[in-house]
Amino acid sequence: MNDKPQQSEFRLEIDRSAAPGREPGPIDIRRYYAHPAYSGIATFMGVPLCLNQEDLRAGEVDVAVLGAPVDSSVGHRGAAYGPRAIRSDERYIFNTPEAMINASTRINPFDVLKVVDYGDAAVDAFSTPNSMAPIRELVREIAEVGAVPVLLGGDHSLLWPSVGALADVYGPERIGIIHFDAHPDCHDHQLGHSVTHSTPIRRIIEDEKVPASNIVQVGLRTVTGPDNQLFNWMRRQGMKSHFMAEIERIGFHAVLDKAIAEVQENADFVYLSLDIDVLDPAFAPGTGTPEPGGLTNRELFPAFRRICHETKVIGMDVVEVAPHLDSGYSTTMNARRAIFEGLTGLAMNRLKIAGSNYLNPIVSGEVRFPMG
């Protein structure tokens, strides 16, 4: 008996030809209005589910959340469980998007945007390269209808097919990337492999032809790289890399102002990528490559909101969440909340709220709380 698996088996879709017909559109699979995220069938924050591009079009979807549970390129595996944890491992907040309000802006992004869950991309559990095409195809399906894909990782290798799909739709030279990470992720190869969580930036530059000058990195600090050769390569390419040393010198807010200005110099659109290890391990211990001396969540959340408000974001991801290492739940909680802040920023952009670093004037103390 030949039990050798075929390469295409992991991509074999369910045959729905005998299933009852339905009108295209998002499907709300909640039974109850208010129930904890750990109960029921998990979608991101309880939003409706879409199964295909026809559903996205019929629902006039603005944002589609897509899981990419791939982690075979990581030395310390476990990030493949990230999408499920981010969707369902909430301990406190109910999965009731209608009732969620951003504490800093008093905006409910779900009132402004049609947000859906698009399920997970097919991944080959034994091959990172084989997993790239299915991720790319589903991201392209989302982008082709004008919606913003939000990817739940999974490891950072997914950055390559995600940006690649958006380059197919928008054009590579028009896309800028703001990349929050402790690591540069622009190695040419890792242990002889060119498709890993350490190589997506190199693949985006060399294979997708996104200009290196359109890439802005924030939070770099690892002791394992870049070595002098890679450090000089990054400089020659024209990448804008903001190390923690710069943040220590001039402050995070000044660096964020620079990053937003730099990404808009040459690009019309922005992709926002968050490796959760940009946070200090005090806030994100549940990741395979923690690095001390990182950002706080109080710095990261407003940054996500600002970028999505003040630039034209066409895609984002949150990667490298490894729930089995997240004993205190803080990593998953912070990943989930960062996405919520990004959605709030997208809603603010849609509402055309003017200004930089907008905060509700009452909750920010700019004006007195009204009486009565």
Side-chain angles (χ1 to χ4, degrees):
M1 177 179 178
N2 182 8
D3 60 355
K4 181 180 179 181
Q6 300 299 310
Q7 183 177 357
S8 61
E9 283 185 350
F10 77 98
R11 301 183 62 178
L12 185 63
E13 295 190 15
I14 296 294
D15 181 1
R16 303 184 189 278
S17 60
R22 66 175 180 88
E23 292 295 321
I27 309 162
D28 192 334
I29 58 176
R30 296 175 299 171
R31 178 168 289 160
Y32 308 107
Y33 173 78
H35 63 85
Y38 54 76
S39 70
I41 301 171
T43 63
F44 180 75
M45 291 191 167
V47 299
L49 175 71
C50 285
L51 294 175
N52 52 48
Q53 201 175 49
E54 288 72 26
D55 288 340
L56 297 174
R57 285 199 174 94
E60 298 180 339
V61 167
D62 298 304
V63 178
V65 178
L66 174 66
V70 57
D71 70 357
S72 56
S73 75
V74 183
H76 199 154
R77 298 181 67 175
Y81 293 87
R84 177 168 292 188
I86 294 171
R87 286 184 173 110
S88 64
D89 199 29
E90 176 63 61
R91 311 293 176 88
Y92 167 63
I93 303 296
F94 278 51
N95 261 358
T96 309
E98 299 91 340
M100 296 180 182
I101 298 176
N102 184 276
S104 298
T105 64
R106 303 300 300 166
I107 291 170
N108 179 343
F110 302 104
D111 284 345
V112 181
L113 305 170
K114 182 65 175 180
V115 183
V116 301
D117 198 309
Y118 206 44
D120 286 355
V123 297
D124 186 337
F126 301 101
S127 171
T128 300
N130 284 352
S131 301
M132 298 295 97
I135 297 171
R136 186 174 189 138
E137 290 168 9
L138 289 190
V139 173
R140 188 186 299 118
E141 286 183 11
I142 296 168
E144 284 174 345
V145 303
V148 175
V150 176
L151 273 74
L152 311 179
D155 70 47
H156 222 158
S157 63
L158 64 80
L159 177 62
W160 176 28
S162 184
V163 171
L166 295 173
D168 293 339
V169 175
Y170 293 96
E173 72 287 343
R174 303 183 70 194
I175 296 176
I177 300 169
I178 298 183
H179 169 214
F180 286 92
D181 205 325
H183 311 89
D185 286 1
C186 54
H187 296 273
D188 187 36
H189 58 82
Q190 183 180 29
L191 302 176
H193 298 276
S194 62
V195 185
T196 78
H197 73 149
S198 297
T199 63
I201 296 293
R202 182 73 70 106
R203 302 283 74 79
I204 289 167
I205 293 171
E206 295 187 350
D207 295 30
E208 306 304 330
K209 309 305 179 186
V210 173
S213 57
N214 289 13
I215 298 173
V216 182
Q217 299 180 305
V218 179
L220 305 182
R221 64 185 185 277
T222 178
V223 299
T224 62
D227 60 17
N228 288 337
Q229 181 179 0
L230 183 59
F231 181 73
N232 290 328
W233 180 89
M234 293 162 62
R235 296 174 65 204
R236 290 194 303 271
Q237 298 301 310
M239 296 173 60
K240 284 88 169 178
S241 299
H242 300 285
F243 289 75
M244 284 303 299
E246 182 181 358
I247 293 172
E248 293 166 7
R249 182 176 66 86
I250 66 173
F252 178 73
H253 296 295
V255 169
L256 180 61
D257 288 341
K258 290 172 66 174
I260 292 174
E262 287 168 345
V263 81
Q264 294 179 307
E265 286 176 359
N266 303 313
D268 300 314
F269 306 109
V270 174
Y271 185 95
L272 179 55
S273 184
L274 170 61
D275 187 324
I276 202 66
D277 69 27
V278 78
L279 289 174
D280 189 271
F283 305 95
T287 186
T289 51
E291 299 279 357
L295 299 182
T296 69
N297 50 11
R298 196 166 63 179
E299 292 168 327
L300 180 67
F301 294 165
F304 244 58
R305 189 173 65 242
R306 276 195 63 189
I307 293 166
C308 290
H309 172 210
E310 298 172 25
T311 73
K312 181 61 176 177
V313 170
I314 56 170
M316 70 177 88
D317 65 50
V318 177
V319 303
E320 305 282 354
V321 174
H324 69 299
L325 302 173
D326 194 23
S327 58
Y329 161 65
S330 57
T331 312
T332 306
M333 178 172 60
N334 285 326
R336 184 182 175 101
R337 192 60 60 88
I339 299 169
F340 180 73
E341 295 291 342
L343 295 177
T344 301
L346 292 176
M348 294 163 65
N349 186 286
R350 171 70 61 84
L351 293 170
K352 301 186 184 305
I353 293 176
S356 173
N357 196 23
Y358 170 84
L359 298 171
N360 178 278
I362 295 175
V363 300
S364 67
E366 183 179 352
V367 300
R368 292 186 62 185
F369 197 90
M371 301 296 292

